[in-house]
Amino acid sequence: MKKQKETWFQRIENMHPYQTLMYLGMFGSGLIFLFLTLAFLASGYGALEGIGFKMPRSFILSTIVIIFSGYTCSKMALHYKDEAIGKLKNSLFTTFLLGIIFTALQIVGWKELANMGIDFRGLPSGSFLYILSGIHIFHLVGAMIFALIMIFQYNKREKDAIQNLIMLTNPFEKMRIELFSKYWYFMDLIWLTLFLIFVISF
């Protein structure tokens, strides 16, 4: 008998609650960035050229860092499949460190903007540069905290052979890694989109 194709609503019903929450969160975050980006584009961003705006070098460096973090994050699922917990933990820790470096570079980028005379007291478009990048960091920090929790758990389970085996055969653990990776890719995509808009706009 031919299996009836699941509807979109049935797929949502069959999702794990964590999956549902994450996808809804990503959708909501996407709307926030969309509306703020539209507000930025409508705020007269062209006026920044008149005060000598240049893309902060730290923003360029942070873009390279977050692209590389996407690569290290992509290795996590492969290491889990190969049952290489040590490599999985290293990939997760490297991704976490790159997130820290990205955040630090963004803060340096804000200082570069301030040195150009762009702050919250000036043009609205200048304020949006801080707001958009700041909200992105806020979302990324959430993923970094979750990464720390996972690293701590992996360190604990790595010392126990039974816990290690349970983790490797637990569908929930696989789902956690997939959700973390998807959320990290989403954050990568959000920043790359913002960075591209900033470059095109100026």
Side-chain angles (χ1 to χ4, degrees):
M1 187 175 180
K2 190 175 180 180
K3 188 178 179 181
Q4 188 176 3
K5 189 176 180 180
E6 286 185 337
T7 64
W8 179 78
F9 185 74
Q10 287 174 327
R11 289 181 181 177
I12 295 177
E13 282 186 322
N14 293 332
M15 281 184 183
H16 190 281
Y18 284 1
Q19 290 177 306
T20 305
L21 286 173
M22 194 198 74
Y23 290 134
L24 287 175
M26 287 169 61
F27 178 74
S29 297
L31 288 179
I32 291 172
F33 282 108
L34 175 62
F35 292 141
L36 286 175
T37 301
L38 291 175
F40 164 71
L41 294 174
S43 65
Y45 57 85
L48 288 175
E49 293 181 1
I51 59 176
F53 174 83
K54 293 181 180 179
M55 181 61 63
R57 291 182 180 179
S58 298
F59 279 8
I60 299 172
L61 291 174
S62 67
T63 303
I64 296 172
V65 169
I66 204 167
I67 290 173
F68 188 64
S69 75
Y71 170 75
T72 59
C73 183
S74 68
K75 293 293 184 181
M76 290 174 55
L78 296 175
H79 293 323
Y80 181 81
K81 184 178 180 181
D82 294 337
E83 301 183 0
I85 300 303
K87 291 182 178 180
L88 167 61
K89 187 177 66 175
N90 289 338
S91 293
L92 179 58
F93 186 68
T94 303
T95 303
F96 168 77
L97 284 180
L98 290 171
I100 293 289
I101 295 171
F102 173 85
T103 303
L105 287 171
Q106 291 281 289
I107 294 172
V108 174
W110 293 345
K111 291 182 179 179
E112 290 184 51
L113 288 175
N115 291 336
M116 295 179 205
I118 300 171
D119 52 35
F120 284 97
R121 295 169 296 179
L123 297 168
S125 50
S127 300
F128 276 113
L129 292 174
Y130 290 95
I131 293 171
L132 285 166
S133 56
I135 292 177
H136 178 264
I137 288 177
F138 176 78
H139 283 78
L140 193 68
V141 167
M144 288 158 57
I145 292 173
F146 187 67
L148 273 181
I149 294 172
M150 291 175 70
I151 290 169
F152 174 77
Q153 292 174 341
Y154 290 158
N155 281 331
K156 191 175 180 180
R157 293 171 183 173
E158 199 174 23
K159 300 174 183 177
D160 189 325
I162 296 176
Q163 289 292 327
N164 198 10
L165 180 61
I166 292 173
M167 184 182 73
L168 291 171
T169 56
N170 189 355
F172 176 76
E173 191 61 39
K174 181 181 179 181
M175 182 194 70
R176 281 209 316 169
I177 293 171
E178 289 176 349
L179 289 179
F180 175 82
S181 299
K182 287 178 181 178
Y183 185 80
W184 197 270
Y185 298 152
F186 178 69
M187 287 294 100
D188 281 16
L189 181 62
I190 289 291
W191 174 252
L192 290 175
T193 302
L194 291 176
F195 181 76
L196 183 62
I197 290 173
F198 292 162
V199 170
I200 293 175
S201 299
F202 305 113

